[in-house]
Amino acid sequence: MQKMRLFILFSFSCLLLWACGISEKDAVIHNKIDPDKTEQWSLIKKVKIEEGKIDFYLHDSDRRGRLAVLMHDEKRQRKAVLFDKDLNRITSFSVPDGKGPGELGPWIPGMGMDEEKIYFIDSQKNSIEFFEHDGSFDDSVLIQDGTYRLSFGNCVVTHFEDNYYLGMTYPGSVVKTDSRFNAIGRATRESVFEIEKIFENLVRYTVDEKGAVFMVMLGLKGKYEIRKYNREMALIRTALNDDGLNNMLTLEICRFPDGSFEANGGVAAISLCVKDGLLYVLRGVAGINEVKWEKGEKKYYGLPIPGLEHGFVDIFDAETLKHIKRVEADFLKPHQDYRLYPLKDRFVFVAVYEVDKETGKGKETGNYIYTAGLEDSY
């Protein structure tokens, strides 16, 4: 009997070790991507926006049939414009300036959208402002939690069940909160203000229908790395991708005599989303950022990405992070900044308004919205 118990214990231990080994092996996947093997997006519709300038990162979709885009006119008056999936204008509403509930300060770090609400981050009050889709003010929630800061642009508010996700934040990269925006989980654990640590944890993120969080790391030099976290914000899988562009599409800290710093180089990815079990990552756009110190001040230059004619989307299995295919589009220009959003039966690419850093004029490729699909997707 004693031998039998020892045998069972030994067998169980071996099984446990085998399972842990499989889990550890599967936790990191290496994707070698052939940059010459691509498919093409099918363009559905292209719309030039004339009623205002599309803000840099202030737009989102409800993942079903609506897109919200924040625009401003020559007087910097802001309004949110809603479109349906066919890019027909549904409605618009002014986004009021001020310090009270339902009002926002001059800088909006980010926003979000679901099927019921639109969320704006107000840096002035350190709050999240809730609006209905018709522009009616709904609520203002002051963020009382001092363990994280909404100090970055490109911050996305994602509502999932009774919780919210916010990112980029510091510290934490992406923070999971309760309904009053108190942190209950975070992707990274740093607690001191270090520029190198902030830079290392720069990310873009998205959340799937199960609450899993996907992050593309932007501050890891020479890497095209994707991380997947479960709904408890525990890291469960990492994809290390190599398409031959890793050393070109990478950022590096550049420090200047005035004590400031900038991120020089190209970004690993600019936007991502999850739809029907697949992860879509927009790469090869937004150009090469080069900041130089000239005559006592910083000068900004936007350079093309050498060797690229079009941007593209890499598609991964959302469960395993295995790379499936790469899809190019003629309308994705490497020097232009875009954001990618999912709708029920298609995708939206927002080409933001940008000023050419050398000419001082708006880029001809900016201020457009495109819808596109893959084969059998619409």
Side-chain angles (χ1 to χ4, degrees):
M1 181 65 69
Q2 180 70 20
K3 289 183 178 179
M4 178 63 71
R5 282 199 294 265
L6 288 173
F7 176 75
I8 292 172
L9 180 62
F10 175 76
S11 300
F12 177 76
S13 299
C14 290
L15 181 63
L16 182 63
L17 288 171
W18 176 82
C20 289
I22 292 295
S23 176
E24 182 179 352
K25 180 180 178 181
D26 289 348
V28 179
I29 183 170
H30 296 263
N31 288 309
K32 184 66 175 178
I33 301 171
D34 184 351
D36 297 321
K37 189 177 180 180
T38 62
E39 296 183 14
Q40 288 289 323
W41 286 96
S42 298
L43 179 64
I44 302 173
K45 192 170 184 179
K46 170 184 176 182
V47 173
K48 173 70 173 177
I49 302 302
E50 303 287 358
E51 60 183 300
K53 298 175 181 177
I54 299 176
D55 276 291
F56 184 39
Y57 47 78
L58 296 174
H59 12 84
D60 201 358
S61 80
D62 65 359
R63 304 189 181 204
R64 303 295 297 173
R66 290 189 171 192
L67 172 75
V69 178
L70 199 71
M71 306 178 189
H72 62 273
D73 59 21
E74 298 296 337
K75 297 180 180 179
R76 302 297 300 177
Q77 297 297 309
R78 300 174 300 201
K79 66 178 177 181
V81 182
L82 272 66
F83 300 88
D84 65 17
K85 69 174 187 176
D86 297 314
L87 299 185
N88 298 312
R89 190 179 185 278
I90 301 172
T91 188
S92 67
F93 60 89
S94 297
V95 178
D97 299 326
K99 300 180 180 180
E103 299 173 336
L104 294 104
W107 181 53
I108 304 175
M111 67 172 285
M113 182 187 191
D114 58 30
E115 291 186 69
E116 296 181 357
K117 309 288 184 188
I118 297 173
Y119 310 92
F120 290 109
I121 301 172
D122 181 28
S123 61
Q124 192 167 243
K125 299 191 299 292
N126 197 37
S127 68
I128 308 294
E129 305 296 309
F130 291 57
F131 292 84
E132 305 288 349
H133 283 196
D134 64 1
S136 303
F137 170 65
D138 179 69
D139 197 6
S140 177
V141 179
L142 298 177
I143 300 174
Q144 307 288 350
D145 190 335
T147 64
Y148 67 91
R149 285 177 268 179
L150 300 172
S151 304
F152 298 91
N154 280 291
C155 190
V156 178
V157 183
T158 304
H159 185 201
F160 178 78
E161 295 181 349
D162 295 328
N163 303 111
Y164 292 89
Y165 295 88
L166 302 171
M168 267 285 300
T169 68
Y170 184 83
S173 291
V174 177
V175 172
K176 183 179 181 179
T177 78
D178 62 18
S179 60
R180 307 307 287 178
F181 298 100
N182 299 302
I184 58 175
R186 60 191 79 222
T188 56
R189 303 291 187 266
E190 75 280 359
S191 59
V192 294
F193 190 86
E194 295 179 5
I195 292 176
E196 286 77 12
K197 208 54 155 175
I198 294 173
F199 193 82
E200 180 181 310
N201 291 317
L202 289 174
V203 300
R204 297 284 185 270
Y205 89 98
T206 191
V207 180
D208 72 7
E209 69 281 356
K210 299 177 182 178
V213 179
F214 300 82
M215 296 174 16
V216 177
M217 310 304 295
L218 306 184
L220 301 179
K221 187 175 181 180
K223 292 186 177 181
Y224 176 19
E225 181 173 320
I226 300 171
R227 297 178 184 176
K228 180 181 180 180
Y229 295 76
N230 64 19
R231 57 191 300 163
E232 285 75 38
M233 299 301 288
L235 178 63
I236 57 174
R237 189 159 286 116
T238 301
L240 303 177
N241 309 299
D242 183 7
D243 60 357
L245 300 173
N246 291 11
N247 290 324
M248 181 165 56
L249 297 180
T250 189
L251 295 173
E252 187 173 3
I253 295 178
C254 187
R255 299 177 183 271
F256 294 93
D258 62 356
S260 65
F261 70 95
E262 299 283 350
N264 272 355
V267 290
I270 200 67
S271 188
L272 70 164
C273 67
V274 180
K275 184 174 182 289
D276 299 330
L278 298 176
L279 175 67
Y280 298 80
V281 180
L282 177 56
R283 179 166 162 88
V285 295
I288 302 293
N289 190 55
E290 184 171 342
V291 187
K292 298 180 178 180
W293 188 261
E294 297 178 354
K295 298 180 180 180
E297 62 181 5
K298 289 185 288 188
K299 296 290 186 180
Y300 295 83
Y301 299 94
L303 307 176
I305 301 174
L308 287 188
E309 295 182 6
H310 307 291
F312 47 83
V313 174
D314 280 326
I315 304 177
F316 300 82
D317 184 294
E319 180 64 30
T320 64
L321 297 187
K322 180 181 179 181
H323 185 264
I324 297 174
K325 60 183 175 181
R326 172 167 289 183
V327 189
E328 289 186 340
D330 292 340
F331 59 82
L332 291 175
K333 305 302 181 184
H335 67 279
Q336 170 68 43
D337 203 337
Y338 302 83
R339 293 296 185 275
L340 169 65
Y341 302 106
L343 292 175
K344 184 177 181 180
D345 60 354
R346 64 197 64 190
F347 294 83
V348 180
F349 295 83
V350 178
V352 307
Y353 177 82
E354 286 187 286
V355 174
D356 188 290
K357 294 174 181 177
E358 296 187 27
T359 66
K361 299 179 180 179
K363 292 182 179 179
E364 294 182 357
T365 49
N367 240 44
Y368 283 91
I369 303 176
Y370 303 85
T371 55
L374 301 171
E375 185 178 356
D376 299 327
S377 69
Y378 64 95

